[in-house]
Amino acid sequence: MTSTSAVSTALAPYGWDDAWADQFTPYAAEGLLPGRVVRVDRGQCDVVTADGVIRADTAFVTPHDPMRVVCTGDWVAVDPAGSPRYVRAYLPRRTAFVRSTSSKRSEGQILAANVDHAVVAVSLAVELDLGRVERFLALAWESGAQPLVVLTKADLVPDPATLAHLVQDVETSAPGVPVLSVSARDGEGLDVLTAVLGSGTSVLLGQSGTGKSTLANALTGEDAMTVQAARDVDGKGRHTTTTRNLLALPGGGVLIDTPGLRGVGLYDAETGVGQVFAEIEELAGRCRFHDCAHEAEPGCAVLAAVDSGELPARRLDSYRKLKRENQWIVAKTDARARAELRRDWKRKHAEGRAAVEAKRKGWR
């Protein structure tokens, strides 16, 4: 059996520490082998262990719950030998990046586990979609990881003033989040990004065509991921990455590259939404009514900030949209939240009818 010191030496580059070793103690007593999942596909996974990378079956870990399946980034206990080898359990996750599934059952889908940094890649080859950036950041904050926005393909914006303006636009939509402009093509900004990601585990998120795989190759110093060209007409690309892969970085730390995400539905991300729109949440505390919806209520500090130009109307619209979406997802699985949402709908409907009736009386 591999010694404890050998395990620590072999797995330390992948994030193994004394806390993980303590949690693994019961499984070590059973003769199981610790390892980290570096790739999952079709009910099997690749696990890096002190004995090298092994292939293991995940059938013993609940396969029908999207939140409990083995995912990239998990620390697992695997059979020490045999064919096939099985994952017997995974250690409790410190953080988890979760989105809602595309099914009508309102389930969560875990994309990556035990992540310290959530890197949101945004391409400068196309017009910035700040609403999508805010959506990714809400999921990132909710995961427990520290978000970071990376504006890729900075070489396509040669004017420094224009680039600085784009960075500022994103910073306004990402309070408390570092924003870096990077060009994998000419190396601009890679030294700063490498330093940030040099410890812990990072997950690389974004749509297809944002240059995630090119960035992953630049960070690893090798062609770890295949790269496909984006379409010139809209800057979009085909899925270069089809599975989530955990890659060791030469300067320290590990990186999980994910497939391009077309849909990033929220999943019980109230805290994350609140952090993305921290300035709106702060303004809301000054409203006359504690349950102010920031729509037409008297004494609304949020609407006053929009009127004065302090708060961009776009930010408020995005905040409302994500709040409604999150309430809807939670209500589909939480009876109390569902009842509160129904009462809110009835109140708004009654207010709307009263407003129409008032207008009719005014016309007479």
Side-chain angles (χ1 to χ4, degrees):
M1 181 179 294
T2 307
S3 68
T4 300
S5 60
V7 168
S8 297
T9 300
L11 296 183
Y14 292 91
W16 185 258
D17 56 28
D18 291 341
W20 288 122
D22 288 342
Q23 287 191 320
F24 193 81
T25 300
Y27 302 107
E30 297 176 19
L32 297 176
L33 191 66
R36 193 166 196 190
V37 177
V38 298
R39 184 172 182 266
V40 178
D41 66 279
R42 300 179 182 178
Q44 293 188 313
C45 62
D46 294 335
V47 182
V48 61
T49 71
D51 296 336
V53 177
I54 64 173
R55 189 75 168 165
D57 196 298
T58 63
F60 274 90
V61 182
T62 311
H64 303 300
D65 182 347
M67 293 289 287
R68 296 179 64 190
V69 296
V70 171
C71 74
T72 303
D74 272 327
W75 286 101
V76 296
V78 297
D79 291 331
S83 181
R85 300 170 86 165
Y86 289 95
V87 173
R88 297 293 173 173
Y90 62 79
L91 300 184
R93 294 158 176 159
R94 294 178 181 175
T95 62
F97 189 90
V98 181
R99 68 169 176 176
S100 64
T101 63
S102 57
S103 72
K104 296 181 179 180
R105 293 179 293 180
S106 304
E107 296 175 327
Q109 178 190 23
I110 183 166
L111 300 180
N114 303 312
V115 173
D116 301 294
H117 308 284
V119 182
V120 179
V122 180
S123 174
L124 290 175
V126 294
E127 184 177 354
L128 288 176
D129 184 344
L130 297 177
R132 181 167 289 273
V133 173
E134 289 160 347
R135 177 179 292 272
F136 270 111
L137 289 176
L139 293 174
W141 279 122
E142 192 68 33
S143 75
Q146 168 64 51
L148 167 68
V149 177
V150 172
L151 303 180
T152 64
K153 307 183 182 181
D155 52 284
L156 298 179
V157 188
D159 178 37
T162 301
L163 181 59
H165 178 72
L166 292 171
V167 170
Q168 186 177 24
D169 281 349
V170 177
E171 287 176 337
T172 302
S173 301
V177 177
V179 179
L180 302 176
S181 59
V182 171
S183 171
R185 182 177 181 179
D186 60 22
E188 178 189 342
L190 283 179
D191 54 343
V192 178
L193 182 58
T194 298
V196 173
L197 307 185
S199 62
T201 299
S202 305
V203 62
L204 191 54
L205 307 160
Q207 290 182 285
S208 299
T210 56
K212 293 190 292 84
S213 294
T214 302
L215 186 58
N217 287 339
L219 290 169
T220 58
E222 57 186 50
D223 292 335
M225 309 303 298
T226 304
V227 176
Q228 296 177 351
R231 298 194 298 256
D232 291 335
V233 65
D234 56 9
K236 295 181 179 178
R238 291 172 292 173
H239 285 301
T240 294
T241 307
T242 56
T243 58
R244 298 169 192 97
N245 302 275
L246 188 146
L247 312 167
L249 299 178
V254 292
L255 178 70
I256 299 175
D257 189 21
T258 64
L261 301 174
R262 291 191 180 93
V264 280
L266 301 185
Y267 183 76
D268 197 4
E270 181 178 0
T271 300
V273 172
Q275 288 184 271
V276 174
F277 299 94
E279 81 279 30
I280 297 181
E281 297 271 297
E282 181 180 353
L283 286 167
R286 307 177 200 165
C287 292
R288 182 182 302 175
F289 304 109
H290 74 278
D291 59 348
C292 183
H294 321 306
E295 293 179 352
E297 296 86 350
C300 176
V302 174
L303 294 179
V306 173
D307 291 340
S308 69
E310 177 187 353
L311 176 68
R314 187 207 65 78
R315 285 279 285 171
L316 179 56
D317 289 341
S318 184
Y319 174 72
R320 288 169 174 162
K321 179 179 180 180
L322 294 184
K323 288 282 283 188
R324 284 195 302 266
E325 179 181 330
N326 193 66
Q327 287 171 350
W328 174 249
I329 289 294
V330 173
K332 292 176 80 171
T333 56
D334 186 317
R336 187 173 66 175
R338 190 160 54 243
E340 290 177 354
L341 189 60
R342 189 178 297 113
R343 285 195 297 270
D344 188 48
W345 284 342
K346 288 181 178 179
R347 177 182 62 80
K348 290 181 179 179
H349 184 59
E351 290 174 350
R353 284 188 301 176
V356 170
E357 185 62 26
K359 285 184 178 180
R360 286 176 179 172
K361 289 181 180 180
W363 293 335
R364 293 173 184 171

